[in-house]
Amino acid sequence: MKPFLSHTGVAVPLLQRNIDTDAIIPSREMKQVSKRGLGEGLFAGWRYTLPGSREVNPSFVLNRTEYEGASIILAGDNFGCGSSREHAVWALMEYGIRVVLASGFGAIFHTNCIRNGLLPVCLQERTINELAEQVGGDPQGNLVTIDLQQCLIRCGEREWHFVLDEAARHMLLNGLDPIALTQQHHIKIDSFEQARRRAHRWAYAPLEDCVEGMLS
Amino acid sequence: MAISGASTLFDKLWSDHAVCDLENGETLLYVDRVFLHERTGAVALQSLRSAGYDVRDARRVFCTMDHIVDTFPGRGDKTLMPSGADFIRATRSETRTANIRLFDVDDADQGIVHVISPEQGLVLPGLTLVCPDSHTCTQGAIGALAWGIGSSEAEHALATGTLRVRKPKNMRVIVDGALRPGVTAKDLILHLIARFGANGAAGYAVEFSGSAIRQLEVEARFTLCNMAVEFSAFTALIAPDEKVEAYLDGRDFAPKGEHWRDAVEYWRTLRSDDNAAFERELVVDAGEIEPVVTWGTSPEQAVGISARIPGPDEHLEPHRREAAAKALQYQGLQAGQTMVDIAVNAAFIGSCTNSRLSDLRAAAAIVNGRRIAPGVRGVVVPGSRRVKRAAEQEGLDRIFTEAGFEWRDSGCSMCFYAGGETFGEFQRVISTTNRNFEGRQGPNTRTHLASPETVAATAIAGSFTSAEMLANSESLIA
């Protein structure tokens, strides 16, 4: 994964609450057994005029020329609620979104972002509105910078501070592979597992007999 | 903080599975069971393999075909969803390579993950279980720590047997009193979400307790915990009791003999200590709840069935007002309309929320001897092959088909639209499912969430009606 240090780009306002992962990527747009090929389906229900078509809906904010190349989303509370589908994050990334600034996130979506190098930043609704105002009618002129090393957002002369969970920040800043990181603890995991299996034999022994019988 | 070492049920499950605290505020949690399904499972397994990692212990991993498999009788790998068969075949081949037990399309025990997992005793009180499906919180109803994850987390759990998790806060929802006749666990959870918001439990693990919860049968508890994710909870839990023991006793994968006795002894310690502290507590009076139906496109946009759709000025917060206006436009409704005046085109009974035998029995009791209203389409989809067989033994299938419902094979079916089957554009559907999002059941399809009883009664009446209202209106006519 590529380390995330800082990003500057066009911010697009999607200031509704409860934007769910079905809206971010409708299930019908998940066409292949793959993490790729999803960018085109991003916000498909809003982005195109008719279901299944690719005719651009000019009134959807992402399609307006002033937001061309947008890479930052400004959103309301509970962004990414609903289905756990990681395709929502893969679709955002493929489209070019690098940061989502929202007043709250769906919990699974938030973790999915971190694991894929997309920065989710939680801000107060007031701050999101201030930012949207600062970007104003000229998003291409008023680019937004999100600096993860300093935990600062800049737009024009203004700055806002943000807080990100230290574990998530560390993971993003260093582009770490969490599986490899966790495997460094393999001795602790092994001994925990052995102790747990002794203490709770009821939880493992019957299952293992059962499954081995079925698979053999 | 907890007083003098007193712990919540969630704290106990957490500390029992904590391998170690990581330096960054996360805990490495041991994962007892991983469940996969064909919508996201194959991607996770493929991606794990291509990254060069192995599945650590395949005996504790299970997979089912539920999300996109057809539910027409006599189905095979082909589905109405374009490319659906690719997902099914990739899942079959990846699980075979990894030696994972698969509940395949034609398996006698196939079904929706959150139905078959407890049905077969794969999930047990005191265990941790994860699945790349947000409704995994369903399974907290028997006192397991079960939560939904994404694909990357699934890969991590498969490879390491653990997850890196930041501990959520504790919330207790106390529901005292008794639910009125005809009011169900579904109405209770919709009521909670409507009252406290779709983000009402964000950042919390929720424990449901109180006399009304103890009264609920185990299958109703699954319904309640199922929708905790629509309340934005990390997960939900109910302390296991004798009902849970009776429910699990004799299930295929449940412990037997000496193991069973050890298990039960341990399960009886799984409850919050009397003086355990919760960071937040909500109290609900069960007696004040009536059957609930959603009117909008978020589960929080719901009212009692005898109410009207609230006017925009009744929403106190501005962002709720805007959301309401947008939802009404999508749903083709107006503020102030009386719910019982809204006619439907279709009724759907199924999904991981409400597809168990008790749900089908409750709906069948209302449907029995009646006919679906003219022009209304009715679909019943059992949650598992076992539920289907049991329902057929009781003759529930005949009750439904004689009333004009379609009787399907088990799966997620039209709970969501994956490009295959839909109720159609601008069709209004009353549904026992968990999400009324825009496009959830098809492009421009309008979904209203309700209990199986209310869905059944509405199918008969043709417009939103509770079972009680249906009975009253018929006695007036008679």
Side-chain angles (χ1 to χ4, degrees):
Chain A
M1 219 166 63
K2 245 173 61 186
F4 186 113
L5 301 171
S6 170
H7 175 81
T8 299
V10 174
V12 58
L14 271 174
L15 301 174
Q16 301 163 43
R17 57 192 249 126
N18 297 329
I19 293 182
D20 54 82
T21 55
D22 278 44
I24 299 171
I25 180 94
S27 189
R28 64 173 184 278
E29 298 289 345
M30 293 153 57
K31 291 171 184 161
Q32 297 165 55
V33 190
S34 168
K35 299 179 176 181
R36 284 183 283 276
L38 295 158
E40 207 186 299
L42 182 73
F43 295 118
W46 297 339
R47 212 166 132 197
Y48 306 114
T49 53
L50 289 167
S53 90
R54 287 293 182 257
E55 192 193 325
V56 168
N57 169 12
S59 65
F60 181 54
V61 65
L62 223 50
N63 291 331
R64 294 186 359 214
T65 47
E66 64 263 39
Y67 294 110
E68 207 178 309
S71 57
I72 299 161
I73 288 178
L74 301 174
D77 199 4
N78 212 18
F79 186 85
C81 61
S83 166
S84 63
R85 62 184 71 160
E86 202 158 308
H87 302 69
V89 174
W90 299 331
L92 286 164
M93 298 280 288
E94 193 172 295
Y95 182 87
I97 303 296
R98 293 290 167 266
V99 186
V100 180
L101 307 168
S103 29
F105 290 92
I108 305 172
F109 177 84
H110 191 270
T111 309
N112 288 345
C113 284
I114 307 296
R115 295 292 182 256
N116 288 277
L118 194 155
L119 173 62
V121 178
C122 207
L123 296 169
Q124 295 209 333
E125 197 184 338
R126 186 168 41 86
T127 313
I128 302 266
N129 290 336
E130 282 171 16
L131 250 163
E133 218 167 280
Q134 184 76 20
V135 172
D138 182 17
Q140 303 284 345
N142 300 320
L143 296 181
V144 175
T145 296
I146 294 100
D147 183 333
L148 186 55
Q149 283 172 304
Q150 299 186 57
C151 287
L152 275 179
I153 301 168
R154 286 186 213 92
C155 182
E157 301 294 298
R158 298 198 59 182
E159 278 188 357
W160 297 264
H161 186 73
F162 67 90
V163 181
L164 184 72
D165 166 313
E166 196 43 45
R169 186 165 166 266
H170 182 70
M171 201 76 86
L172 286 167
L173 280 174
N174 296 288
L176 297 172
D177 169 2
I179 297 180
L181 269 187
T182 296
Q183 285 188 336
Q184 294 170 5
H185 297 282
H186 71 95
I187 295 170
K188 277 185 195 159
I189 297 172
D190 289 347
S191 64
F192 179 90
E193 184 167 80
Q194 281 157 20
R196 179 158 172 81
R197 282 173 183 237
R198 274 196 302 275
H200 298 284
R201 281 183 59 225
W202 57 269
Y204 307 98
L207 178 126
E208 284 160 11
D209 297 344
C210 243
V211 175
E212 270 159 17
M214 278 177 192
L215 289 171
S216 57
Chain B
M1 288 312 289
I3 309 156
S4 63
S7 311
T8 67
L9 170 57
F10 176 70
D11 293 336
K12 291 181 187 181
L13 295 173
W14 183 275
S15 61
D16 244 26
H17 289 86
V19 174
C20 58
D21 284 334
L22 302 166
E23 59 290 344
N24 54 20
E26 290 178 317
T27 300
L28 198 57
L29 272 194
Y30 187 73
V31 174
D32 293 309
R33 307 275 194 270
V34 180
F35 224 118
L36 304 172
H37 59 76
E38 86 280 26
R39 189 56 162 155
T40 55
V43 181
L45 287 168
Q46 270 179 12
S47 159
L48 186 71
R49 198 159 47 82
S50 65
Y53 294 115
D54 289 326
V55 176
R56 180 181 165 94
D57 183 359
R59 291 169 303 186
R60 294 186 289 117
V61 184
F62 300 84
C63 183
T64 189
M65 305 283 200
D66 57 0
H67 271 65
I68 52 183
V69 65
D70 270 355
T71 53
F72 298 109
R75 66 179 174 205
D77 289 355
K78 286 221 177 103
T79 75
L80 284 180
M81 179 200 153
S83 78
D86 297 343
F87 286 83
I88 291 170
R89 287 172 187 150
T91 300
R92 186 175 294 134
S93 121
E94 289 294 337
T95 51
R96 193 172 292 153
T97 304
N99 218 20
I100 290 166
R101 168 72 168 101
L102 171 68
F103 299 95
D104 209 336
V105 180
D106 56 357
D107 193 297
D109 295 330
Q110 175 272 349
I112 305 174
V113 42
H114 313 305
V115 176
I116 66 173
S117 175
E119 185 177 76
Q120 299 188 42
L122 290 167
V123 65
L124 297 167
L127 301 188
T128 49
L129 174 141
V130 294
C131 172
D133 185 286
S134 58
H135 292 107
T136 308
C137 51
T138 309
Q139 305 189 40
I142 61 164
L145 183 53
W147 72 101
I149 54 174
S151 300
S152 299
E153 294 287 82
E155 290 175 40
H156 189 284
L158 289 165
T160 69
T162 65
L163 281 175
R164 307 173 147 254
V165 195
R166 174 171 287 271
K167 192 179 179 191
K169 293 178 281 186
N170 279 284
M171 179 193 283
R172 177 156 59 183
V173 177
I174 302 172
V175 191
D176 276 328
L179 291 170
R180 284 156 38 189
V183 178
T184 69
K186 182 64 161 289
D187 302 303
L188 168 55
I189 186 68
L190 285 171
H191 172 84
L192 258 176
I193 296 169
R195 184 162 152 199
F196 297 101
N199 64 345
Y204 291 93
V206 172
E207 180 179 345
F208 290 108
S209 66
S211 57
I213 304 301
R214 286 193 294 277
Q215 286 293 314
L216 292 177
E217 294 306 319
V218 175
E219 294 196 346
R221 296 178 190 179
F222 287 129
T223 300
L224 182 66
C225 290
N226 175 271
M227 290 193 66
V229 68
E230 316 307 335
F231 198 29
S232 296
F234 170 80
T235 190
L237 280 166
I238 297 175
D241 59 7
E242 293 76 13
K243 287 184 183 176
V244 170
E245 290 167 23
Y247 173 90
L248 289 170
D249 194 4
R251 304 265 170 191
D252 286 23
F253 290 85
K256 309 279 185 320
E258 182 197 339
H259 289 316
W260 175 258
R261 287 188 294 277
D262 291 347
V264 168
E265 191 188 336
Y266 172 66
W267 294 347
R268 290 184 180 170
T269 68
L270 295 177
R271 58 194 65 252
S272 291
D273 297 332
D274 287 340
N275 52 352
F278 290 82
E279 277 97 343
R280 193 169 176 212
E281 202 157 78
L282 306 177
V283 181
V284 178
D285 173 8
E288 71 183 26
I289 303 169
E290 66 164 329
V292 178
V293 182
T294 62
W295 52 264
T297 53
S298 161
E300 73 181 22
Q301 294 167 326
V303 288
I305 193 160
S306 64
R308 298 171 307 102
I309 298 175
D313 49 344
E314 292 169 57
H315 301 285
L316 296 176
E317 303 141 301
H319 54 72
R320 280 210 185 200
R321 254 172 259 158
E322 287 162 31
K326 191 166 181 288
L328 288 174
Q329 192 191 7
Y330 180 87
Q331 294 284 57
L333 296 171
Q334 272 155 17
Q337 266 183 286
T338 309
M339 291 297 278
V340 291
D341 291 335
I342 300 170
V344 300
N345 305 104
F348 180 83
I349 298 171
S351 86
C352 57
T353 319
N354 281 121
S355 64
R356 296 176 180 81
L357 190 58
S358 55
D359 299 312
L360 303 188
R361 280 179 183 155
I366 291 154
V367 165
N368 196 5
R370 294 172 166 132
R371 284 283 310 169
I372 280 190
V376 174
R377 182 178 174 201
V379 178
V380 184
V381 187
S384 73
R385 283 277 176 87
R386 285 190 184 209
V387 168
K388 185 171 188 238
R389 284 197 297 277
E392 288 173 353
Q393 269 162 20
E394 293 180 17
L396 302 185
D397 56 326
R398 276 206 323 282
I399 292 174
F400 285 118
T401 52
E402 281 168 13
F405 281 91
E406 296 167 38
W407 177 250
R408 295 291 193 84
D409 211 336
S410 55
C412 299
S413 193
M414 283 191 279
C415 173
F416 66 96
Y417 173 69
E421 223 189 339
T422 169
F423 287 99
E425 275 206 274
F426 308 116
Q427 296 292 293
R428 189 176 304 289
V429 187
I430 186 159
S431 182
T432 65
T433 55
N434 39 49
R435 289 193 173 130
N436 51 344
F437 298 163
E438 277 187 24
R440 179 73 178 171
Q441 291 190 296
N444 290 319
T445 301
R446 293 156 172 167
T447 299
H448 298 265
L449 307 176
S451 72
E453 286 86 335
T454 303
V455 172
T458 299
I460 304 297
S463 53
F464 292 149
T465 307
S466 69
E468 188 187 21
M469 288 169 170
L470 180 71
N472 288 343
S473 71
E474 285 177 345
S475 68
L476 281 177
I477 295 162

